[in-house]
Amino acid sequence: KLFLRVRMNISGQRLSTPLRADVSMVLLEWLQLGCHQGESLHPGRRPETAASRWLQTCNAWREIWKKRGRAPESMRKHLAKAQKRFHCALHGSLQRRQKALQQLLQEKAPTERLEK
């Protein structure tokens, strides 16, 4: 018998679904977790999108395991680790974006002064 699961890596923390023999169930979980949306969970790409996808993914993952009977405390601990890593990556991405915007504004400022 062949068993499958969905696995995703979010900022170095892996989230997996239960092993299943039913391929259609695995595909449904893949959709629920939003894996079909590509790397939209990567904070460096689009932080706003990543933050909203993070919430969707956490809720879906929690529901999948809840139906399977996983202990709430175990889920909470696992998601807390993942959330900490995700938030660190998101914070770093936002800081880099802010720095890039400040540099852009500083570069633009001298030309505006010349035009006045």
Side-chain angles (χ1 to χ4, degrees):
K1 212 169 196 184
L2 178 68
F3 290 92
L4 303 169
R5 71 169 49 160
V6 178
R7 246 185 208 168
M8 57 192 318
N9 187 1
I10 303 169
S11 302
Q13 182 70 33
R14 184 170 56 196
L15 292 181
S16 302
T17 61
L19 284 169
R20 305 214 187 260
D22 182 358
V23 174
S24 62
M25 190 62 149
V26 175
L27 288 173
L28 177 62
E29 291 171 349
W30 182 76
L31 288 170
Q32 289 171 334
L33 290 172
C35 295
H36 63 288
Q37 295 179 20
E39 292 193 5
S40 59
L41 257 172
H42 189 282
R45 307 254 191 270
R46 296 189 60 207
E48 304 82 11
T49 304
S52 121
R53 280 263 297 114
W54 168 251
L55 291 174
Q56 173 200 352
T57 300
C58 285
N59 289 334
W61 184 85
R62 193 179 296 116
E63 282 302 310
I64 289 166
W65 278 103
K66 184 178 174 182
K67 289 176 186 173
R68 187 66 181 242
R70 187 170 179 177
E73 184 61 21
S74 169
M75 289 188 291
R76 189 195 63 72
K77 284 181 181 178
H78 192 79
L79 281 177
K81 285 180 191 175
Q83 184 166 351
K84 184 176 180 180
R85 287 184 175 203
F86 177 77
H87 281 175
C88 286
L90 183 63
H91 182 68
S93 177
L94 290 171
Q95 282 182 326
R96 285 187 296 280
R97 179 180 273 192
Q98 182 180 11
K99 186 177 180 179
L101 287 173
Q102 286 173 345
Q103 287 175 343
L104 182 65
L105 288 173
Q106 288 172 355
E107 290 171 7
K108 189 171 180 157
T111 51
E112 287 178 351
R113 285 187 215 126
L114 291 175
E115 293 172 2
K116 289 183 182 179

